[in-house]
Amino acid sequence: MVDTVDKLGYFQAITGLEDADLCTEILQAHGWDLELAISSFTSSDHDASSSAAVDGGNNHDHDNADVTPDYQPRGIVNDTELVMRDDGGDNRGPGVAWRIITLPISIVSGSLGLVSGAIGLGIWAAGGVLSYSFGMLGFRSGRGGGSSSDSSSAARLVSVSSAAGEAMEFVALFDRDYWRNNAFKIDFVVEGFMDALQRSRSSFKLLFVYLHSPDHPDTPVFCDGTLCNEAVVAFVNENFVSWGGSIRSSEGFKMSNSLKASRFPFCAVVMPAANQRIALLQQVEGPKSPEEMLAILQRVVEDSSPTLVTARVEAEERRTNLRLREEQDAAYRAALEADQARERERREEEERLEREAAEEKEAQERAEREAAEKEAARVRMRQEKALALGDEPEKGPDVTQVLVRFPNGERKGRMFKSETKIQTLYDYVDSLGVLDTEEYSLITNFPRTVYGRDKESMSLKDAGLHPQASLFIEIN
């Protein structure tokens, strides 16, 4: 529970009063109702500066108003300036008023979950009057029939459900009291003010605001005769997003303070502005006939049409630009992915070629090593076989002369003892190193005789090669 010390500190911070005793007296006079004390203090400070605007809202005789006859609207002005326009008619309502109103944070925070960009703290200015929102702090004024919390409960934020619940309650009560007896009804949205404002922004329509005072004597006639009129209902539903709230509810009461409602029935036409602010385009105070209300609303729609059309065109351009950027980004990503895929394929191909080249090189080196080893083995074999032959014998009756002819035409000859085995002839041929293979046979042509490996154990004499023989090499 927020104690009196905290309330005193908040009151001093907002009002700028440094005298703690004076602030305490003011709060005590208002039953320590912080919001009521602030409202009373600020309204008393600014009665003089706001009297012209209030008188304009209460005065039905606009012919006596101090208004420039041929004034044309200058667009949105600052927070303290209210611009009125003379329409040149006798039965006109209040002229189009362009006034920037910064919403209290209790209104904004009521839709934190649904409205993007509606988060902020601090002081808000409405018609030059300094005020502060206590919805974020959890303070309740206790006035009217709005939702209230027990005095012992902790301070808390205004939730989305409370704003929507108040709107639903208003629509249900209005339906019970007025619409059940009428065939036509305005489509009030059942959501908080900020959500309704966002809905109007997204649909490029103005927001029609009705603040309902159940106890005001003019309320029943206005609701039955004007708000349920067929022409008014059709025009409002077609051209506006509509939001209504009872001044007995928390949000309805805060909006009545923000819009400076001084007379009821009260209607207003607003549109979104930047930084949690709204532009007040029209306010209608006091009872109006269906014809008067319709004329006022038609004029507002006509005057605001260029702004809405421009906003719609700009939004479409933003959507088009966003779509183009998304398409360009998608094309860029696709091209980037294609380039990356080609780069991966190129790297994989390079790696494959490098791997194959390495494997080929390794195989070649292995083959060269094997060939070198094989050649070295042959050299050792020839050397061993040459040593095993021994010395060549001298010519004699027991010596056989052998001549070997190789496939390349080369001839080699040697003397062998007649008892030498044919195996020794093969060893002799191998020792010469003329052939690159060991798969060959020794043959004679006339008559043709093959002295293969199966005859290696025969002696030269037994094989009929003594005293001399001419042998040919036949590669198997």
Side-chain angles (χ1 to χ4, degrees), residues 296-364:
I296 294 171
L297 296 180
Q298 287 173 340
R299 185 187 67 234
V300 174
V301 170
E302 180 181 351
D303 290 347
S304 304
S305 179
T307 301
L308 297 177
V309 170
T310 300
R312 184 180 293 107
V313 171
E314 291 177 350
E316 182 62 30
E317 289 178 354
R318 286 194 298 271
R319 285 194 295 268
T320 301
N321 292 336
L322 178 60
R323 184 172 62 254
L324 290 176
R325 284 197 300 271
E326 290 175 348
E327 292 174 355
Q328 291 171 352
D329 291 343
Y332 172 76
R333 287 193 298 270
L336 181 60
E337 291 174 358
D339 291 341
Q340 292 173 342
R342 285 193 294 269
E343 180 64 18
R344 283 195 302 271
E345 293 175 356
R346 185 187 65 79
R347 286 198 304 268
E348 290 173 357
E349 180 65 15
E350 289 180 352
E351 292 173 357
R352 184 186 65 81
L353 293 176
E354 291 176 357
R355 186 169 56 253
E356 291 179 353
E359 292 174 354
E360 184 177 354
K361 182 179 180 181
E362 183 180 357
Q364 183 178 358

Side-chain angles (χ1 to χ4, degrees), residues 308 389 406:
L308 297 177
L389 290 175
F406 291 89

Side-chain angles (χ1 to χ4, degrees), residues 119-409:
I119 300 177
L121 296 173
I123 300 172
W124 57 280
V129 179
L130 183 66
S131 186
Y132 191 77
S133 165
F134 298 96
M136 181 64 85
L137 302 175
F139 299 128
R140 306 286 180 166
S141 64
R143 289 180 290 178
S147 60
S148 61
S149 60
D150 187 80
S151 60
S152 62
S153 63
R156 62 184 180 271
L157 297 178
V158 177
S159 65
V160 175
S161 59
S162 67
E166 291 177 357
M168 293 175 65
E169 182 179 2
F170 162 74
V171 172
L173 293 177
F174 200 95
D175 191 10
R176 182 197 66 188
D177 295 339
Y178 304 106
W179 286 338
R180 66 179 181 178
N181 298 323
N182 295 278
F184 310 100
K185 62 180 182 179
I186 295 175
D187 296 330
F188 288 110
V189 295
V190 287
E191 55 193 13
F193 177 82
M194 284 301 298
D195 299 318
L197 192 67
Q198 179 64 17
R199 182 186 295 271
S200 70
R201 181 198 299 270
S202 60
S203 59
F204 301 101
K205 291 184 176 182
L206 302 177
L207 180 63
F208 176 78
V209 178
Y210 170 61
L211 296 179
H212 185 63
S213 177
D215 300 327
H216 197 280
D218 292 331
T219 295
V221 175
F222 179 74
C223 291
D224 272 326
T226 300
L227 291 188
C228 294
N229 177 266
E230 179 180 2
V232 173
V233 168
F235 187 79
V236 170
N237 289 342
E238 180 180 358
N239 295 279
F240 298 89
V241 172
S242 301
W243 179 86
S246 171
I247 61 173
R248 290 180 178 179
S249 68
S250 175
E251 194 166 40
F253 176 73
K254 291 181 176 68
M255 285 307 302
S256 69
N257 285 340
S258 298
L259 295 173
K260 294 299 172 185
S262 59
R263 187 177 179 187
F264 293 90
F266 180 90
C267 299
V269 177
V270 302
M271 65 186 301
N275 300 325
Q276 293 83 58
R277 300 189 300 174
I278 58 174
L280 176 61
L281 307 182
Q282 179 72 56
Q283 62 185 28
V284 181
E285 296 181 300
K288 293 291 182 289
S289 67
E291 293 76 15
E292 290 175 325
M293 178 64 72
L294 194 59
I296 294 171
L297 296 180
Q298 287 173 340
R299 185 187 67 234
V300 174
V301 170
E302 180 181 351
D303 290 347
S304 304
S305 179
T307 301
L308 297 177
V309 170
T310 300
R312 184 180 293 107
V313 171
E314 291 177 350
E316 182 62 30
E317 289 178 354
R318 286 194 298 271
R319 285 194 295 268
T320 301
N321 292 336
L322 178 60
R323 184 172 62 254
L324 290 176
R325 284 197 300 271
E326 290 175 348
E327 292 174 355
Q328 291 171 352
D329 291 343
Y332 172 76
R333 287 193 298 270
L336 181 60
E337 291 174 358
D339 291 341
Q340 292 173 342
R342 285 193 294 269
E343 180 64 18
R344 283 195 302 271
E345 293 175 356
R346 185 187 65 79
R347 286 198 304 268
E348 290 173 357
E349 180 65 15
E350 289 180 352
E351 292 173 357
R352 184 186 65 81
L353 293 176
E354 291 176 357
R355 186 169 56 253
E356 291 179 353
E359 292 174 354
E360 184 177 354
K361 182 179 180 181
E362 183 180 357
Q364 183 178 358
E365 292 175 351
R366 184 170 58 252
E368 291 176 353
R369 285 195 305 271
E370 292 175 354
E373 293 172 358
K374 189 175 183 179
E375 180 62 24
R378 282 199 300 268
V379 170
R380 287 194 302 273
M381 179 198 67
R382 287 197 302 268
Q383 292 174 350
E384 291 172 357
K385 289 183 177 183
L387 292 174
L389 290 175
D391 296 333
E392 185 177 1
E394 296 290 339
K395 187 176 181 180
D398 295 329
V399 174
T400 301
Q401 183 177 3
V402 177
L403 178 66
V404 180
R405 295 181 180 180
F406 291 89
N408 61 0

